[in-house]
Amino acid sequence: MRPPVILEPSTTYSSNSSSYSPSSDRRLNTIAKHFVNHVQMDSHNISPSPTASSDSVFAQIVRAPEDAILGVTVAYNKDTSPIKLNLGVGAYRTEEGKPLVLDVVRRVEHQLFTDGSRNKEYIPIVGLADFNKLSAKLIFGADSPAIQENRVTTVQGLSGTGSLRVGGEFLAKHYHERVIYLPQPTWGNHIKVFTLAGLTVKTYRYYAPATRGLDFQGLLEDLGAAPSGSVVLLHACAHNPTGVDPTLEQWEQIRQMIRSKSLLPFFDSAYQGFASGSLDADAQPIRLFVADGGELLAAQSYAKNMGLYGERVGALSIVCKSADVASRVESQLKLVIRPMYSSPPIHGASIVAAILKDRDLYNEWTIELKAMADRIINMRQQLFDALRARGTPGDWSHIIKQIGMFTFTGLNPEQVSFMTKEYHIYMTSDGRISMAGLSSRTVSHLADAIHAAVTQVA
């Protein structure tokens, strides 16, 4: 502690006049000296912390396991092989294997940077109003009755993950059923997000390993057996990790089942426009559910379709029965968000809002978005052709039937391990590969590795 300055008589003024007051000076100096001596005595008498010379109070904490997906990149980065290939990362890569910042994003960022009227003030708890309004229109359609009737409340979230967490905590506090059904398999983080939000997680059948396609009958049976009112998580498009999506006809049957059982759908839309190249086509399953007048939740992410991975920008929308209910729901969402992160970040949402509200920027974005989707579709075709050319045992048509960033190859953990050890190819142990991490230059290497794994490892 810094000792107080000892007041000198020559510099001290009386409180009642502008003349010097020696008696006042003496009193102040006596008080100051007493304070200094007291501080010095206290500093000598401070007893050491009970933990100062012993083990940390956190010594009992065990090291957590590496995240299954992020751990792939950690292992990849440690590999010094010049032929190493990372197919675990859930982010788009160019043909040259580099991260991509969209041209339209760079244009908007330049506009924002040169706008002298912008500031860094906090934004509202629910986020930027323009961003929320435009995000709802993007996913539900500008002509959506729910939007026109003000039955939708939208809040800005921390990408898709944060939006799911806010939705989960809202349901745990205010919905009468605390059970959520997830497809088996699903994105690994779903289980953690909803469990920590306070919901009980159960699963419904989704993927059929034998066909490497959709277990549609199993899906309907499990949803039909779910208790009335249960929450059901649905991947809006480009199911992660399988890349297997229902057809529109199957979606209609799913909708009928969910509504007949009074189940509550919660859509996770992480790939709108990134799957097929069409924003409207990829939103069709959600719009089917909105059109029947029922209620639902939808989490959006702009990580993939705008390449705003690190900006953490997304939205949670809840479609309600009336405008009054929507307003009350929003008031409670604020109470979930406020103690969680207070208010969302401004930069990424400003980029999204600028693109969505300007016709020219929007059109430029859709062109770049389709180019990303088309490249991934092309990589699927090239890999399928390469495996067929090698005569690799098995039917690999699922590679071109599946859609989106990921392909569930059907490779087992032993085969995956073999490919990592012998070919320096990294992917999750369940055989999921990111098609966005593949290029025309590396397709042959991957096809050779798959062929060897299938023919040499059971």
Side-chain angles (χ1 to χ4, degrees):
M1 177 179 292
R2 182 179 178 181
V5 176
I6 305 301
L7 301 175
E8 298 296 335
S10 60
T11 60
T12 305
Y13 290 88
S14 167
S15 61
N16 297 321
S17 70
S18 61
S19 62
Y20 295 123
S21 176
S23 61
S24 296
D25 292 342
R26 284 194 296 271
R27 287 196 300 270
L28 289 171
N29 280 331
T30 300
I31 294 171
K33 289 177 181 177
H34 175 76
F35 179 73
V36 172
N37 291 335
H38 181 71
V39 170
Q40 290 174 342
M41 289 174 61
D42 282 352
S43 66
H44 290 305
N45 294 330
I46 295 175
S47 59
S49 164
T51 60
S53 59
S54 62
D55 288 340
S56 167
V57 294
F58 306 113
Q60 79 285 1
I61 293 178
V62 299
R63 186 176 300 280
E66 195 81 59
D67 182 271
I69 297 174
L70 301 181
V72 173
T73 298
V74 172
Y76 168 83
N77 289 336
K78 292 179 180 178
D79 193 333
T80 59
S81 172
I83 62 171
K84 66 180 181 178
L85 180 60
N86 186 1
L87 299 179
V89 63
Y92 183 81
R93 294 292 181 263
T94 65
E95 181 66 19
E96 294 71 37
K98 303 295 184 183
L100 175 68
V101 178
L102 301 185
D103 290 339
V104 69
V105 168
R106 290 199 185 278
R107 281 184 58 192
V108 170
E109 283 193 308
H110 179 72
Q111 292 174 5
L112 296 175
F113 179 74
T114 55
D115 182 355
S117 67
R118 289 181 57 79
N119 57 54
K120 300 296 184 181
E121 291 293 300
Y122 293 122
I123 59 176
I125 295 173
V126 296
L128 290 179
D130 279 353
F131 169 84
N132 291 338
K133 179 180 178 181
L134 294 164
S135 292
K137 286 184 176 181
L138 183 71
I139 197 165
F140 300 128
D143 58 349
S144 171
I147 292 177
Q148 294 172 354
E149 296 163 9
N150 296 316
R151 294 189 288 108
V152 180
T153 181
T154 302
V155 297
Q156 182 184 332
L158 304 181
S159 200
T161 305
S163 301
L164 290 166
R165 180 62 182 267
V166 169
E169 294 217 5
F170 170 80
L171 292 172
K173 288 180 172 68
H174 300 287
Y175 188 58
H176 65 278
E177 282 290 339
R178 294 189 177 184
V179 176
I180 185 168
Y181 282 79
L182 310 181
Q184 179 62 36
T186 192
W187 179 47
N189 218 18
H190 278 149
I191 299 171
K192 301 170 189 174
V193 166
F194 290 115
T195 299
L196 290 174
L199 299 177
T200 298
V201 170
K202 295 187 178 182
T203 61
Y204 62 90
R205 282 172 284 177
Y206 188 88
Y207 179 73
T211 63
R212 296 173 186 173
L214 181 67
D215 183 359
F216 187 57
Q217 191 58 40
L219 181 153
L220 291 179
E221 289 175 1
D222 287 351
L223 293 186
S228 177
S230 299
V231 184
V232 178
L233 183 85
L234 301 163
H235 295 232
C237 65
H239 180 273
N240 178 4
T242 69
V244 174
D245 284 355
T247 64
L248 276 180
E249 291 74 19
Q250 289 172 329
W251 271 118
E252 174 56 22
Q253 293 182 60
I254 293 170
R255 185 196 66 79
Q256 292 177 15
M257 172 62 73
I258 285 177
R259 294 309 193 196
S260 69
K261 290 281 297 183
S262 298
L263 305 176
L264 180 63
F266 192 157
F267 283 93
D268 183 0
S269 179
Y271 303 97
Q272 185 183 356
F274 196 85
S276 67
S278 167
L279 289 159
D280 290 329
D282 291 347
Q284 275 303 105
I286 295 179
R287 294 176 186 179
L288 278 176
F289 282 76
V290 176
D292 67 14
E295 296 177 301
L296 61 85
L297 293 84
Q300 290 169 266
S301 168
Y302 289 96
K304 273 72 175 181
N305 58 16
M306 279 197 190
L308 298 174
Y309 301 95
E311 298 294 350
R312 311 311 295 148
V313 56
L316 171 70
S317 292
I318 302 182
V319 178
C320 304
K321 283 287 189 179
S322 69
D324 175 61
V325 172
S327 177
R328 284 185 277 136
V329 165
E330 180 175 299
S331 73
Q332 291 295 335
L333 286 172
K334 290 179 183 178
L335 298 186
V336 173
I337 294 169
R338 176 62 171 158
M340 188 184 293
Y341 53 84
S342 192
S343 66
I346 191 172
H347 187 66
S350 297
I351 295 171
V352 174
I355 291 172
L356 295 184
K357 69 183 177 183
D358 183 280
R359 183 184 299 274
D360 291 338
L361 293 174
Y362 180 87
N363 289 338
E364 183 179 345
W365 171 50
T366 58
I367 292 170
E368 291 192 81
L369 176 57
K370 190 172 189 308
M372 289 192 289
D374 286 349
R375 196 186 85 76
I376 292 174
I377 292 170
N378 181 253
M379 287 302 100
R380 289 182 177 278
Q381 189 65 52
Q382 286 191 38
L383 179 58
F384 172 72
D385 291 344
L387 291 171
R388 187 170 58 178
R390 285 162 176 73
T392 305
D395 177 10
W396 297 93
S397 62
H398 60 282
I399 292 176
I400 52 177
K401 291 177 181 177
Q402 294 171 6
I403 191 170
M405 178 174 284
F406 300 108
T407 285
F408 226 39
T409 60
L411 297 168
N412 61 44
E414 291 74 22
Q415 292 168 332
V416 170
S417 179
F418 169 84
M419 290 171 61
T420 300
K421 181 180 179 181
E422 301 296 331
Y423 289 84
H424 303 274
I425 294 175
Y426 292 82
M427 67 186 80
T428 53
S429 61
D430 57 8
R432 186 198 79 166
I433 63 174
S434 171
M435 299 305 300
L438 203 56
S439 69
S440 299
R441 177 178 54 85
T442 57
V443 163
S444 179
H445 179 53
L446 176 60
D448 286 342
I450 292 176
H451 183 84
V454 171
T455 55
Q456 297 178 35
V457 182

